[in-house]
Amino acid sequence: MRKYVIMGVQGSGKGTQSELLCDDLGLVHISVGDIFRWHVKKHTKLGAHVRRTMNAGELVGDDLVESVVRERLDQHDWNYGFVIDGFPRNGRQAEFFMESYDIDGVIHLELPEDEVRRRVLSRRLCPNCGMDYNLIADRPKEPGRCDICGHQLITREDDTPEALEARLSDYNEKTRPVLELFRRKEYVHDIDARPPAEEVQASIRDALHLPAYKATV
Ligand code: AMP
């Protein structure tokens, strides 16, 4: 059983790296942001509640986040373990998490802020199949259309300059101290997130003493 937390500023590649890590190791990727985005897309009551907060790039209340995380982990569909992404994001969430679960390692993706701005503002998403694109590094074949399903690509509503600044300042004020808390327990592996995704994945696996990545398809 392997239980990892992945941390890093927006645009540092947490989603991509989590997927690669889970793919051949049978781990479950739990993204709190994806759970909320699913609720917004499906127009659930929870989605209506968090939509405005998310679009402004602000953090959803701790009680709600904790209940979503607890409910997700209580499904116990993670026989081989999980990678949790986007949680914990502040001291209180970290305490809640450490009280309930033991963690095998924290992966910290490091990316300078000017690179974060460059990446996030060029990010595009397919609202139909969920495929991510980047207009700098990972363009769709036909501009504005998803390579997989052909749907028109959109910008995430919280990928505006204003929301990005709000998220960056929350990250610096609230999330960085969590890293220090984990660091005192020697859980943290600092990984340079600037190289191409496969190289970053190789560094993560090296740090965690895991076998090299083997694609499952
Ligand atoms: P992400 O995709 O991780 O950037 O999350 C998107 C948005 O979901 C964030 O900007 C927050 O509004 C909300 N969110 C995700 N995870 C958390 C969390 N741990 N605590 C509070 N809000 C969160």
Short mmCIF file of all heavy atoms in Angstrom, two decimals, residues 10-11 14 31-34 36-37 50-62 65-66 69 85-90 93 123 156 158-159 163 167 170, ligand 1:
data_model
loop_
_atom_site.label_atom_id
_atom_site.label_comp_id
_atom_site.label_asym_id
_atom_site.label_seq_id
_atom_site.Cartn_x
_atom_site.Cartn_y
_atom_site.Cartn_z
N GLN A 10 -0.18 25.91 -8.82
CA GLN A 10 -0.99 25.64 -10.00
C GLN A 10 -0.08 25.58 -11.21
O GLN A 10 0.86 26.37 -11.31
CB GLN A 10 -2.02 26.77 -10.21
CG GLN A 10 -3.11 26.80 -9.20
CD GLN A 10 -2.63 27.20 -7.81
OE1 GLN A 10 -1.66 27.93 -7.67
NE2 GLN A 10 -3.29 26.73 -6.79
N GLY A 11 -0.35 24.65 -12.11
CA GLY A 11 0.43 24.59 -13.34
C GLY A 11 1.75 23.85 -13.20
O GLY A 11 2.51 23.74 -14.15
N LYS A 14 0.78 18.75 -11.34
CA LYS A 14 0.33 17.75 -10.34
C LYS A 14 -0.58 16.70 -10.97
O LYS A 14 -0.43 15.51 -10.71
CB LYS A 14 -0.41 18.43 -9.18
CG LYS A 14 0.41 19.39 -8.38
CD LYS A 14 -0.34 19.86 -7.15
CE LYS A 14 -1.59 20.67 -7.45
NZ LYS A 14 -1.36 22.02 -7.96
N SER A 31 -8.14 13.78 -7.00
CA SER A 31 -7.95 15.22 -7.15
C SER A 31 -9.17 15.92 -6.60
O SER A 31 -10.28 15.77 -7.12
CB SER A 31 -7.75 15.56 -8.63
OG SER A 31 -8.05 16.93 -8.83
N VAL A 32 -8.96 16.69 -5.55
CA VAL A 32 -10.08 17.37 -4.91
C VAL A 32 -10.67 18.40 -5.87
O VAL A 32 -11.89 18.54 -5.99
CB VAL A 32 -9.61 18.02 -3.58
CG1 VAL A 32 -10.74 18.77 -2.92
CG2 VAL A 32 -9.07 16.94 -2.64
N GLY A 33 -9.79 19.10 -6.64
CA GLY A 33 -10.27 20.07 -7.63
C GLY A 33 -11.14 19.39 -8.68
O GLY A 33 -12.18 19.92 -9.07
N ASP A 34 -10.74 18.19 -9.13
CA ASP A 34 -11.54 17.47 -10.14
C ASP A 34 -12.90 17.07 -9.56
O ASP A 34 -13.91 17.10 -10.27
CB ASP A 34 -10.81 16.19 -10.60
CG ASP A 34 -9.70 16.48 -11.60
OD1 ASP A 34 -9.58 17.64 -12.05
OD2 ASP A 34 -8.93 15.54 -11.93
N PHE A 36 -14.59 18.68 -7.30
CA PHE A 36 -15.42 19.90 -7.31
C PHE A 36 -15.85 20.26 -8.73
O PHE A 36 -17.00 20.64 -8.97
CB PHE A 36 -14.68 21.07 -6.68
CG PHE A 36 -14.59 21.00 -5.17
CD1 PHE A 36 -13.43 21.40 -4.51
CD2 PHE A 36 -15.66 20.55 -4.42
CE1 PHE A 36 -13.34 21.34 -3.12
CE2 PHE A 36 -15.58 20.49 -3.02
CZ PHE A 36 -14.42 20.88 -2.38
N ARG A 37 -14.91 20.16 -9.69
CA ARG A 37 -15.26 20.51 -11.08
C ARG A 37 -16.36 19.58 -11.62
O ARG A 37 -17.24 20.01 -12.34
CB ARG A 37 -14.02 20.44 -12.00
CG ARG A 37 -13.23 21.76 -11.99
CD ARG A 37 -12.09 21.75 -12.99
NE ARG A 37 -11.01 20.89 -12.56
CZ ARG A 37 -10.07 21.26 -11.68
NH1 ARG A 37 -10.06 22.47 -11.19
NH2 ARG A 37 -9.13 20.42 -11.31
N VAL A 50 -19.96 25.69 -4.59
CA VAL A 50 -18.52 25.99 -4.67
C VAL A 50 -18.13 26.77 -5.94
O VAL A 50 -17.02 27.28 -6.02
CB VAL A 50 -17.64 24.70 -4.61
CG1 VAL A 50 -17.83 23.99 -3.30
CG2 VAL A 50 -17.89 23.77 -5.79
N ARG A 51 -19.06 26.88 -6.89
CA ARG A 51 -18.68 27.41 -8.20
C ARG A 51 -18.04 28.80 -8.13
O ARG A 51 -16.98 29.04 -8.69
CB ARG A 51 -19.92 27.45 -9.09
CG ARG A 51 -19.55 27.92 -10.45
CD ARG A 51 -20.60 27.71 -11.48
NE ARG A 51 -19.95 28.19 -12.71
CZ ARG A 51 -20.58 28.64 -13.74
NH1 ARG A 51 -21.88 28.63 -13.75
NH2 ARG A 51 -19.93 29.07 -14.79
N ARG A 52 -18.72 29.72 -7.42
CA ARG A 52 -18.22 31.09 -7.41
C ARG A 52 -16.86 31.17 -6.72
O ARG A 52 -15.96 31.87 -7.16
CB ARG A 52 -19.23 32.00 -6.72
CG ARG A 52 -19.19 33.35 -7.39
CD ARG A 52 -20.16 34.34 -6.84
NE ARG A 52 -21.55 33.91 -6.93
CZ ARG A 52 -22.53 34.56 -6.33
NH1 ARG A 52 -22.27 35.63 -5.60
NH2 ARG A 52 -23.77 34.16 -6.44
N THR A 53 -16.72 30.43 -5.63
CA THR A 53 -15.44 30.42 -4.90
C THR A 53 -14.33 29.91 -5.81
O THR A 53 -13.25 30.49 -5.87
CB THR A 53 -15.55 29.45 -3.69
OG1 THR A 53 -16.73 29.77 -2.98
CG2 THR A 53 -14.36 29.53 -2.79
N MET A 54 -14.61 28.83 -6.53
CA MET A 54 -13.59 28.26 -7.42
C MET A 54 -13.23 29.23 -8.53
O MET A 54 -12.05 29.42 -8.83
CB MET A 54 -14.10 26.96 -8.04
CG MET A 54 -14.14 25.82 -7.08
SD MET A 54 -14.70 24.34 -7.91
CE MET A 54 -13.28 23.90 -8.89
N ASN A 55 -14.24 29.84 -9.14
CA ASN A 55 -13.96 30.74 -10.26
C ASN A 55 -13.13 31.94 -9.83
O ASN A 55 -12.36 32.48 -10.62
CB ASN A 55 -15.26 31.22 -10.91
CG ASN A 55 -15.90 30.09 -11.70
OD1 ASN A 55 -15.29 29.04 -11.88
ND2 ASN A 55 -17.11 30.30 -12.15
N ALA A 56 -13.27 32.34 -8.58
CA ALA A 56 -12.49 33.48 -8.08
C ALA A 56 -11.09 33.03 -7.68
O ALA A 56 -10.27 33.85 -7.29
CB ALA A 56 -13.21 34.11 -6.90
N GLY A 57 -10.83 31.72 -7.73
CA GLY A 57 -9.52 31.21 -7.36
C GLY A 57 -9.35 31.14 -5.85
O GLY A 57 -8.23 31.04 -5.35
N GLU A 58 -10.49 31.21 -5.12
CA GLU A 58 -10.38 31.16 -3.65
C GLU A 58 -10.57 29.73 -3.14
O GLU A 58 -11.06 28.87 -3.85
CB GLU A 58 -11.45 32.08 -3.03
CG GLU A 58 -11.09 33.53 -3.25
CD GLU A 58 -12.27 34.45 -3.07
OE1 GLU A 58 -13.31 34.00 -2.55
OE2 GLU A 58 -12.15 35.63 -3.46
N LEU A 59 -10.20 29.53 -1.87
CA LEU A 59 -10.30 28.18 -1.30
C LEU A 59 -11.70 27.91 -0.76
O LEU A 59 -12.32 28.78 -0.14
CB LEU A 59 -9.28 27.99 -0.18
CG LEU A 59 -7.81 27.98 -0.60
CD1 LEU A 59 -6.91 27.81 0.61
CD2 LEU A 59 -7.53 26.88 -1.62
N VAL A 60 -12.19 26.71 -0.99
CA VAL A 60 -13.48 26.26 -0.46
C VAL A 60 -13.28 26.01 1.05
O VAL A 60 -12.18 25.68 1.49
CB VAL A 60 -13.88 24.97 -1.22
CG1 VAL A 60 -15.06 24.28 -0.59
CG2 VAL A 60 -14.12 25.27 -2.69
N GLY A 61 -14.36 26.17 1.83
CA GLY A 61 -14.27 26.02 3.29
C GLY A 61 -13.75 24.65 3.73
O GLY A 61 -14.05 23.64 3.08
N ASP A 62 -13.02 24.65 4.83
CA ASP A 62 -12.38 23.41 5.29
C ASP A 62 -13.36 22.28 5.61
O ASP A 62 -13.10 21.12 5.29
CB ASP A 62 -11.54 23.68 6.55
CG ASP A 62 -10.32 24.52 6.24
OD1 ASP A 62 -9.81 24.42 5.12
OD2 ASP A 62 -9.89 25.29 7.12
N VAL A 65 -14.46 20.69 2.38
CA VAL A 65 -13.36 19.97 1.73
C VAL A 65 -13.08 18.67 2.49
O VAL A 65 -12.93 17.60 1.89
CB VAL A 65 -12.09 20.84 1.69
CG1 VAL A 65 -10.91 20.05 1.15
CG2 VAL A 65 -12.31 22.07 0.83
N GLU A 66 -13.05 18.75 3.81
CA GLU A 66 -12.74 17.55 4.60
C GLU A 66 -13.82 16.48 4.42
O GLU A 66 -13.50 15.30 4.33
CB GLU A 66 -12.58 17.92 6.08
CG GLU A 66 -11.24 18.61 6.32
CD GLU A 66 -11.13 19.29 7.69
OE1 GLU A 66 -11.94 18.98 8.59
OE2 GLU A 66 -10.22 20.13 7.84
N VAL A 69 -13.23 14.84 1.05
CA VAL A 69 -12.06 13.95 1.08
C VAL A 69 -12.38 12.67 1.86
O VAL A 69 -12.08 11.56 1.41
CB VAL A 69 -10.84 14.67 1.70
CG1 VAL A 69 -9.70 13.70 1.99
CG2 VAL A 69 -10.36 15.78 0.77
N ASP A 85 -4.14 14.84 -4.60
CA ASP A 85 -3.64 16.03 -5.30
C ASP A 85 -4.57 17.20 -4.96
O ASP A 85 -5.79 17.09 -5.06
CB ASP A 85 -3.61 15.62 -6.78
CG ASP A 85 -3.82 16.70 -7.80
OD1 ASP A 85 -3.89 17.88 -7.45
OD2 ASP A 85 -3.92 16.34 -8.99
N GLY A 86 -3.98 18.29 -4.50
CA GLY A 86 -4.79 19.47 -4.16
C GLY A 86 -5.26 19.48 -2.72
O GLY A 86 -6.09 20.30 -2.33
N PHE A 87 -4.75 18.58 -1.92
CA PHE A 87 -5.13 18.47 -0.51
C PHE A 87 -3.97 17.81 0.23
O PHE A 87 -3.41 16.86 -0.29
CB PHE A 87 -6.39 17.61 -0.38
CG PHE A 87 -6.88 17.49 1.03
CD1 PHE A 87 -7.80 18.40 1.52
CD2 PHE A 87 -6.41 16.50 1.87
CE1 PHE A 87 -8.25 18.31 2.84
CE2 PHE A 87 -6.85 16.40 3.17
CZ PHE A 87 -7.77 17.30 3.66
N PRO A 88 -3.58 18.27 1.42
CA PRO A 88 -4.11 19.42 2.16
C PRO A 88 -3.52 20.73 1.66
O PRO A 88 -2.42 20.76 1.12
CB PRO A 88 -3.65 19.14 3.59
CG PRO A 88 -2.44 18.29 3.46
CD PRO A 88 -2.59 17.51 2.20
N ARG A 89 -4.29 21.80 1.84
CA ARG A 89 -3.88 23.11 1.34
C ARG A 89 -3.69 24.12 2.45
O ARG A 89 -3.32 25.26 2.18
CB ARG A 89 -4.94 23.63 0.38
CG ARG A 89 -4.47 23.49 -1.08
CD ARG A 89 -5.59 23.76 -1.96
NE ARG A 89 -5.52 24.43 -3.16
CZ ARG A 89 -5.79 23.84 -4.32
NH1 ARG A 89 -5.93 22.54 -4.40
NH2 ARG A 89 -5.87 24.55 -5.40
N ASN A 90 -3.95 23.74 3.67
CA ASN A 90 -3.64 24.66 4.79
C ASN A 90 -3.40 23.80 6.04
O ASN A 90 -3.55 22.56 6.01
CB ASN A 90 -4.76 25.69 5.01
CG ASN A 90 -6.10 25.04 5.33
OD1 ASN A 90 -6.15 23.96 5.91
ND2 ASN A 90 -7.18 25.68 4.94
N GLN A 93 -6.29 21.48 7.35
CA GLN A 93 -6.50 20.29 6.50
C GLN A 93 -5.38 19.27 6.70
O GLN A 93 -5.62 18.06 6.70
CB GLN A 93 -6.57 20.69 5.03
CG GLN A 93 -7.78 21.54 4.67
CD GLN A 93 -7.81 21.95 3.21
OE1 GLN A 93 -7.02 21.47 2.40
NE2 GLN A 93 -8.73 22.83 2.86
N ARG A 123 -3.07 27.33 -20.68
CA ARG A 123 -3.70 26.02 -20.48
C ARG A 123 -5.10 25.99 -21.11
O ARG A 123 -5.85 26.96 -20.99
CB ARG A 123 -3.82 25.81 -18.96
CG ARG A 123 -4.19 24.48 -18.49
CD ARG A 123 -3.57 24.20 -17.15
NE ARG A 123 -4.18 24.91 -16.02
CZ ARG A 123 -3.89 24.63 -14.76
NH1 ARG A 123 -3.03 23.68 -14.46
NH2 ARG A 123 -4.46 25.31 -13.79
N ARG A 156 -10.05 27.03 -18.45
CA ARG A 156 -10.64 26.81 -17.13
C ARG A 156 -11.07 28.16 -16.57
O ARG A 156 -10.33 29.13 -16.68
CB ARG A 156 -9.59 26.19 -16.21
CG ARG A 156 -9.87 24.76 -15.86
CD ARG A 156 -8.73 24.14 -15.12
NE ARG A 156 -8.54 24.68 -13.78
CZ ARG A 156 -7.77 24.11 -12.86
NH1 ARG A 156 -7.14 23.00 -13.13
NH2 ARG A 156 -7.62 24.65 -11.67
N ASP A 158 -11.04 29.34 -13.77
CA ASP A 158 -10.15 29.93 -12.76
C ASP A 158 -8.73 30.12 -13.32
O ASP A 158 -7.81 30.39 -12.56
CB ASP A 158 -10.14 29.11 -11.47
CG ASP A 158 -9.77 27.65 -11.68
OD1 ASP A 158 -9.70 27.20 -12.85
OD2 ASP A 158 -9.56 26.94 -10.68
N ASP A 159 -8.55 30.01 -14.62
CA ASP A 159 -7.24 30.29 -15.22
C ASP A 159 -7.18 31.71 -15.79
O ASP A 159 -6.62 31.95 -16.86
CB ASP A 159 -6.90 29.25 -16.31
CG ASP A 159 -6.36 27.94 -15.72
OD1 ASP A 159 -6.04 27.92 -14.52
OD2 ASP A 159 -6.26 26.95 -16.46
N ALA A 163 -7.64 35.34 -10.98
CA ALA A 163 -7.80 34.14 -10.15
C ALA A 163 -6.44 33.49 -9.89
O ALA A 163 -6.18 32.97 -8.80
CB ALA A 163 -8.74 33.14 -10.84
N ARG A 167 -4.80 32.53 -6.31
CA ARG A 167 -4.35 31.18 -5.97
C ARG A 167 -2.89 31.17 -5.56
O ARG A 167 -2.50 30.46 -4.64
CB ARG A 167 -4.61 30.23 -7.14
CG ARG A 167 -6.10 29.85 -7.24
CD ARG A 167 -6.35 28.79 -8.26
NE ARG A 167 -6.16 29.32 -9.60
CZ ARG A 167 -5.88 28.58 -10.66
NH1 ARG A 167 -5.73 27.28 -10.53
NH2 ARG A 167 -5.74 29.12 -11.85
N ASP A 170 -2.65 32.51 -2.02
CA ASP A 170 -3.11 31.47 -1.07
C ASP A 170 -2.05 30.39 -0.91
O ASP A 170 -1.79 29.88 0.18
CB ASP A 170 -4.38 30.79 -1.58
CG ASP A 170 -5.62 31.39 -0.95
OD1 ASP A 170 -5.49 32.02 0.12
OD2 ASP A 170 -6.71 31.24 -1.53
P1 AMP B 1 -7.22 22.69 -8.20
O1 AMP B 1 -7.66 22.02 -9.45
O2 AMP B 1 -6.51 21.77 -7.25
O3 AMP B 1 -6.46 23.96 -8.48
O4 AMP B 1 -8.56 23.13 -7.42
C1 AMP B 1 -9.49 23.99 -8.03
C2 AMP B 1 -10.25 24.78 -6.95
O5 AMP B 1 -10.97 23.86 -6.10
C3 AMP B 1 -9.39 25.60 -6.01
O6 AMP B 1 -9.03 26.87 -6.55
C4 AMP B 1 -10.34 25.72 -4.82
O7 AMP B 1 -11.37 26.64 -5.07
C5 AMP B 1 -10.97 24.33 -4.76
N1 AMP B 1 -10.14 23.40 -3.95
C6 AMP B 1 -9.48 22.29 -4.37
N2 AMP B 1 -8.83 21.68 -3.36
C7 AMP B 1 -9.08 22.44 -2.26
C8 AMP B 1 -8.67 22.36 -0.89
N3 AMP B 1 -7.88 21.37 -0.44
N4 AMP B 1 -9.09 23.32 -0.04
C9 AMP B 1 -9.90 24.33 -0.47
N5 AMP B 1 -10.31 24.47 -1.73
C10 AMP B 1 -9.91 23.54 -2.64
#
